Amino acid sequence: MEKRTVEGYVDHIIFRNEENGYTVLNLKMKGAELTCIGTLPAIGEGELIEAVGTETEHSVYGRQFRIESYETKVPEDSAALERYLGSGAIKGVGAALAARIVRHFQTDTLRIIQEEPERLAEVKGISERKAREIAAQVAEKAEMQNAMIFLSQYGISLALGAKIYHQYGDGLYRILKENPYKLAEDIQGVGFKMADEIAAKIGIVADSEYRIRSALLYILSQASAQGHMYLPEEILTAKAQELLGIRVEDMSKFLMDLAIDRKIVMKERELPDGGTQTLVYAGQYYFLELNCARMLHELNIVCEDDRESVRRKLGQIEKSTGTELDEVQREAVVQAASSGLMILTGGPGTGKTTTINAMIHYFADEGMDIFLAAPTGRAAKRMTEATGYQACTIHRLLEVSGGMDDDSSRVHFERNASNPLEADVVIIDEVSMVDIHLMHALLCALVPGTRLILVGDQNQLPSVGPGSVLRDLIRSECFPMVRLTRIFRQASQSDIVVNAHKINNGQKVTLDNKSRDFFFLKRYDVNVILKVIVLLISQKLPGYVEAKPQEIQVLTPMRKGALGVENLNGILQKYLNPPSPEKQEKENANGVFREGDKVMQIKNNYQLEWEIRGINGVVAERGMGVFNGDLGIIRKINPFAETVTVEYEEGRFADYTFKQTEELELAYATTIHKAQGSEYPAVIIPLLGGPRMLMTRNLLYTAVTRARRCVTIVGSDVTFQAMIDNHIEENRYTTLAERIVECSREEWT
């Protein structure tokens, strides 16, 4: 589209998002009016501006002008000056006072305000204090506008520029000149690469100390995003050399400087061959592991419950509830009753839920307060249905009260060391999904004497966030643990369960389609596979599993490619929720959203408000926080208010601004990683080759165990078998197990 320049004064600001500066305003020009949109945090009503941008046509609002850059012009006459000062742009100055100021100083008004603000006190109704306040406001607005113009030179958008200005104020000039890499440390949305581009434009040399330090911190940050708690020094330095594109002779000097500044922690580890290896942690991650290890040991106290007495009471519970536990399950309940911390692990169909129920009955009969929680809303819902006791997410249990966007390390919980949970027993399910941040927050909210029971399947994929908490707890061998291995008779009738265990054990799975709940449709052409998937969701499976098409989930190993999430979602949307004049649409960077679409939240948003609406839309409950992996349906797109309303499970409605829809993506198909902790009536898994590092046994195992009633795999039996044979596990650099063992030794010395 062709860019053009417009000039006029801001008559009215229709809408402004204070967080990101997105603004809709009415611009009055000579003989015309124009609706303008853009990231314009510093523009105020009454201002005369010259703006550059492109014209767009909105389906509802008609012609709009998208502002890409602008500059404020000095008002040319007394009327324009009055309009600007009296528009509300300056607090405490209304139309009448603006008229008196302009009448007194005429066209010299702005100069007086900027250069001789004390003279404003000459005007009736303005004290010396008020004069200073007016001058300060005008100066601040001018400073912000100048900052926006300055930052735009370096390719920084207005939205990001607003963040930078709010962070540093007029100190941004000094920071950019001395060390632009500080932006990457302090401001979300500025990574090393953006800071590096700014630095290059400013003239910072390639071997600058600031550049090297920032690169090292950036690589550690990227490593944590991949699940690692640390990096070996040799890997860190090799990655840094590659990123910097230069040879740094003595990288250890910069590492030592960062360690002195407490940005990183360096630890020596002895190797089996007698040598040593240096582990480099981002500072917070070393102390997260250390503190978790200490708090776990503090909880791990022997309780006074007599084991034989527990067994007698357990026998009574079995009789009264009509359940029959095997010896391993009984041992699990006894262990839970006599331990401050206990781990229960096992695959599908091994009786974890039955064991949890027995624990709940025992503790309830003892008059104890019991809290149940899981990492995701779906997992918590499953826990509630399976136990009959109300379960919630760990975030809700800890009373999350907002945070900084997706940064789980900076989120605040109301329940913490100062305000611990008032519980006797806390049972957490799906612990394999819990990362180090969430485990640390949970442990902070527990006091010694509270029993903590951790339940999970260590063969599932690890958490999305950093750490490998469940595996490290088991690997440490420092805490009571019961492993359930027996597949119970009812579960053994399900080929989903039987085949899941075969996959996990590396055994051959029979693909003769004689099963009632596990099907393999051999197809070797991408287009044929896509047609089969559409047919299964739209016609075949809904009736078979008694579910709506939107409840049937396609799970795929990859994001890209013909059978990746992105392509599958486009195709499935086309067939399952086609365009219609009755359905509003919204297009953003992630594609087109349509009313009725199935969507997923793709980042943690601790500050997004939701509400449960009762009859006639009356709000029954409010809360905050929508989390990575939450599934919902778009119920309404309001082009006038520029909002999208999504209904999540439990009838939670959340309103997104159009800008916030960047946190959503279509979810007819999701990656297997995103499906952790969830369960669906039916799952469809397309398999037709992929990278060996990705196509692993535990990925397939996780996908199959997401299905409640039916698994259908469509694709190549060769790929299927190759995944079973591929026992590569994701190697995460974590040392929680080592920290736990160290703390254990300290207790005995």
Side-chain angles (χ1 to χ4, degrees):
M1 281 183 221
E2 192 177 338
K3 291 185 182 180
R4 71 184 185 100
T5 303
V6 298
E7 185 177 312
Y9 73 89
V10 181
D11 183 55
H12 176 55
I13 291 178
I14 302 164
F15 168 81
R16 172 171 285 151
N17 183 326
E18 294 298 339
E19 285 186 13
N20 57 33
Y22 178 79
T23 304
V24 182
L25 58 87
N26 186 45
L27 191 72
K28 276 204 172 180
M29 306 181 296
K30 290 178 182 175
E33 291 187 14
L34 185 63
T35 301
C36 298
I37 58 174
T39 304
L40 312 162
I43 282 184
E45 292 181 349
E47 290 188 30
L48 182 68
I49 64 167
E50 185 179 272
V52 178
T54 54
E55 255 184 56
T56 61
E57 190 70 28
H58 195 281
S59 58
V60 175
Y61 305 119
R63 187 169 70 112
Q64 292 183 333
F65 188 77
R66 184 176 296 277
I67 297 176
E68 295 174 11
S69 64
Y70 74 95
E71 62 176 296
T72 304
K73 312 264 295 184
V74 178
E76 295 169 344
D77 54 37
S78 297
L81 276 168
E82 272 187 45
R83 202 162 42 231
Y84 169 59
L85 291 176
S87 64
I90 298 171
K91 289 177 185 173
V93 179
L97 185 55
R100 289 206 299 275
I101 293 171
V102 175
R103 264 200 313 272
H104 189 84
F105 296 112
Q106 301 294 316
T107 55
D108 209 25
T109 299
L110 282 184
R111 188 195 65 78
I112 295 289
I113 293 172
Q114 291 166 356
E115 297 176 12
E116 302 176 76
E118 67 280 358
R119 286 190 59 193
L120 288 171
E122 296 172 14
V123 179
K124 188 179 176 184
I126 299 180
S127 63
E128 287 185 11
R129 181 182 171 184
K130 191 163 186 172
R132 286 194 298 272
E133 286 175 358
I134 293 169
Q137 286 185 64
V138 171
E140 188 180 354
K141 286 178 74 69
E143 184 58 49
M144 188 174 184
Q145 287 164 357
N146 291 335
M148 297 291 113
I149 295 166
F150 176 78
L151 291 170
S152 68
Q153 301 173 69
Y154 301 108
I156 296 171
S157 69
L158 289 169
L160 195 55
K163 273 189 181 179
I164 294 170
Y165 183 78
H166 287 309
Q167 176 77 24
Y168 302 122
D170 59 7
L172 69 88
Y173 303 101
R174 177 183 55 79
I175 287 165
L176 281 176
K177 186 179 176 182
E178 293 177 3
N179 178 19
Y181 296 98
K182 190 166 171 47
L183 271 63
E185 292 181 37
D186 297 342
I187 297 171
Q188 198 169 14
V190 181
F192 171 81
K193 290 180 179 177
M194 182 179 284
D196 206 32
E197 286 176 12
I198 296 167
K201 290 176 181 175
I202 289 171
I204 303 284
V205 293
D207 61 351
S208 157
E209 178 185 345
Y210 293 127
R211 184 169 186 253
I212 296 167
R213 285 165 57 107
S214 183
L216 290 164
L217 292 174
Y218 171 74
I219 291 164
L220 286 174
S221 168
Q222 290 298 102
S224 71
Q226 294 163 6
H228 303 299
M229 299 298 293
Y230 72 89
L231 284 178
E233 183 182 6
E234 62 274 16
I235 292 177
L236 173 61
T237 54
K239 286 180 177 288
Q241 302 270 20
E242 186 183 345
L243 178 65
L244 292 163
I246 58 169
R247 183 93 185 141
V248 181
E249 293 300 328
D250 187 14
M251 196 70 84
S252 59
K253 171 188 174 297
F254 299 102
L255 288 170
M256 195 57 68
D257 288 346
L258 286 168
I260 292 167
D261 291 344
R262 299 187 178 184
K263 297 285 187 183
I264 64 170
V265 173
M266 300 170 71
K267 295 288 288 186
E268 294 291 321
R269 177 166 69 183
E270 290 184 9
L271 298 173
D273 63 4
T276 61
Q277 183 184 42
T278 304
L279 314 182
V280 186
Y281 303 76
Q284 63 162 319
Y285 288 112
Y286 174 77
F287 292 106
L288 277 171
E289 284 193 338
L290 188 62
N291 291 335
C292 278
R294 286 173 178 167
M295 288 187 288
L296 285 162
H297 276 291
E298 286 171 4
L299 288 173
N300 186 31
I301 56 179
V302 178
C303 300
E304 294 178 1
D305 296 51
D306 178 65
R307 295 175 74 91
E308 285 307 311
S309 170
V310 176
R311 286 184 175 275
R312 282 195 303 273
K313 290 174 182 175
L314 195 53
Q316 294 167 2
I317 290 167
E318 287 183 64
K319 282 181 186 176
S320 64
T321 59
T323 55
E324 187 178 343
L325 304 177
D326 72 1
E327 190 49 40
V328 181
Q329 289 175 307
R330 289 191 193 100
E331 177 58 27
V333 179
V334 172
Q335 204 60 270
S338 56
S339 308
L341 172 64
M342 183 257 180
I343 301 162
L344 178 67
T345 185
T350 56
K352 291 197 299 292
T353 300
T354 305
T355 309
I356 293 170
N357 279 329
M359 290 176 182
I360 291 169
H361 279 291
Y362 173 80
F363 290 125
D365 288 350
E366 295 296 297
M368 295 185 180
D369 290 326
I370 308 160
F371 289 172
L372 308 183
T376 66
R378 279 185 162 257
K381 187 181 179 185
R382 279 171 53 204
M383 203 178 183
T384 300
E385 291 167 352
T387 63
Y389 276 72
Q390 188 60 47
C392 63
T393 64
I394 301 172
H395 288 90
R396 289 189 75 180
L397 177 71
L398 300 179
E399 298 174 19
V400 65
S401 62
M404 300 294 291
D405 299 321
D406 196 34
D407 190 350
S408 58
S409 65
R410 299 167 72 178
V411 67
H412 177 73
F413 295 102
E414 293 297 328
R415 294 290 182 176
N416 49 43
S418 304
N419 182 29
L421 288 166
E422 295 168 11
D424 299 306
V425 182
V426 176
I427 303 175
I428 307 293
D429 199 7
E430 297 284 359
V431 179
S432 62
M433 297 180 65
V434 177
D435 65 17
I436 194 73
H437 291 295
L438 196 54
M439 179 54 72
H440 185 266
L442 174 66
L443 294 172
C444 283
L446 300 177
V447 294
T450 303
R451 287 175 173 83
L452 176 62
I453 299 162
L454 301 173
V455 185
D457 182 353
Q458 72 175 95
N459 295 310
Q460 300 279 3
L461 294 167
S463 58
V464 175
S468 190
V469 173
L470 180 61
R471 288 187 186 182
D472 277 349
L473 285 169
I474 293 170
R475 191 160 60 89
S476 74
E477 298 181 351
C478 287
F479 307 114
M481 185 192 75
V482 174
R483 192 187 304 273
L484 303 176
T485 55
R486 176 189 166 194
I487 303 174
F488 284 84
R489 186 173 59 82
Q490 189 176 354
S492 68
Q493 295 171 359
S494 163
D495 285 319
I496 295 174
V497 173
V498 171
N499 289 339
H501 283 273
K502 283 183 177 178
I503 291 167
N504 192 42
N505 296 326
Q507 299 169 344
K508 193 172 179 66
V509 176
T510 304
L511 305 176
D512 57 8
N513 286 334
K514 291 180 180 178
S515 169
R516 288 177 298 176
D517 61 4
F518 192 99
F519 303 101
F520 199 108
L521 306 181
K522 296 178 185 178
R523 304 289 190 273
Y524 303 97
D525 181 88
V526 167
N527 292 324
V528 174
I529 292 171
L530 292 170
K531 285 176 183 174
V532 170
I533 292 172
V534 171
L535 187 66
L536 285 167
I537 297 176
S538 58
Q539 297 180 35
K540 300 289 186 183
L541 285 175
Y544 188 71
V545 297
E546 299 176 349
K548 298 174 184 173
Q550 286 181 325
E551 293 176 307
I552 296 164
Q553 191 62 50
V554 179
L555 299 179
T556 177
M558 298 162 292
R559 288 201 61 82
K560 303 291 183 182
L563 296 177
V565 165
E566 293 172 9
N567 189 51
L568 281 167
N569 272 321
I571 291 166
L572 292 170
Q573 182 193 44
K574 178 182 173 183
Y575 284 99
L576 300 177
N577 190 30
S580 163
E582 285 79 44
K583 295 175 185 174
Q584 292 284 354
E585 293 184 356
K586 165 71 177 85
E587 186 175 359
N588 70 4
N590 295 339
V592 175
F593 292 132
R594 192 172 294 133
E595 289 175 345
D597 272 337
K598 182 179 179 179
V599 292
M600 176 185 282
Q601 176 78 11
I602 58 172
K603 62 181 286 189
N604 290 331
N605 187 330
Y606 300 97
Q607 295 177 315
L608 185 63
E609 294 183 0
W610 53 262
E611 53 190 37
I612 296 173
R613 298 168 186 173
I615 301 168
N616 300 323
V618 177
V619 177
E621 185 183 347
R622 283 192 173 88
M624 290 178 72
V626 181
F627 305 108
N628 191 353
D630 284 358
L631 287 174
I633 305 292
I634 293 178
R635 296 302 184 196
K636 187 175 178 63
I637 296 175
N638 187 331
F640 181 76
E642 297 197 337
T643 58
V644 174
T645 303
V646 179
E647 182 183 2
Y648 290 102
E649 287 190 334
E650 302 170 344
R652 293 179 299 129
F653 288 83
D655 289 330
Y656 292 76
T657 64
F658 277 6
K659 178 73 175 171
Q660 287 173 315
T661 59
E662 294 171 2
E663 298 178 10
L664 296 172
E665 70 178 19
L666 293 174
Y668 299 100
T670 69
T671 61
I672 297 164
H673 280 86
K674 287 283 191 184
Q676 290 178 87
S678 297
E679 196 176 71
Y680 314 94
V683 161
I684 301 168
I685 309 168
L687 292 179
L688 196 65
R692 178 172 162 77
M693 289 298 293
L694 189 63
M695 310 296 278
T696 62
R697 182 187 297 177
N698 69 336
L699 192 83
L700 182 59
Y701 172 77
T702 301
V704 167
T705 54
R706 299 308 91 205
R708 198 160 50 242
R709 298 177 204 151
C710 181
V711 168
T712 306
I713 299 172
V714 189
S716 165
D717 52 333
V718 175
T719 301
F720 178 73
Q721 189 57 49
M723 289 182 77
I724 294 174
D725 296 338
N726 184 11
H727 193 36
I728 297 172
E729 288 191 7
E730 186 180 333
N731 180 28
R732 290 194 167 184
Y733 293 117
T734 71
T735 47
L736 177 60
E738 285 84 341
R739 297 286 89 80
I740 290 169
V741 172
E742 285 172 9
C743 288
S744 181
R745 287 175 186 152
E746 287 172 12
E747 286 186 357
W748 290 100
T749 55

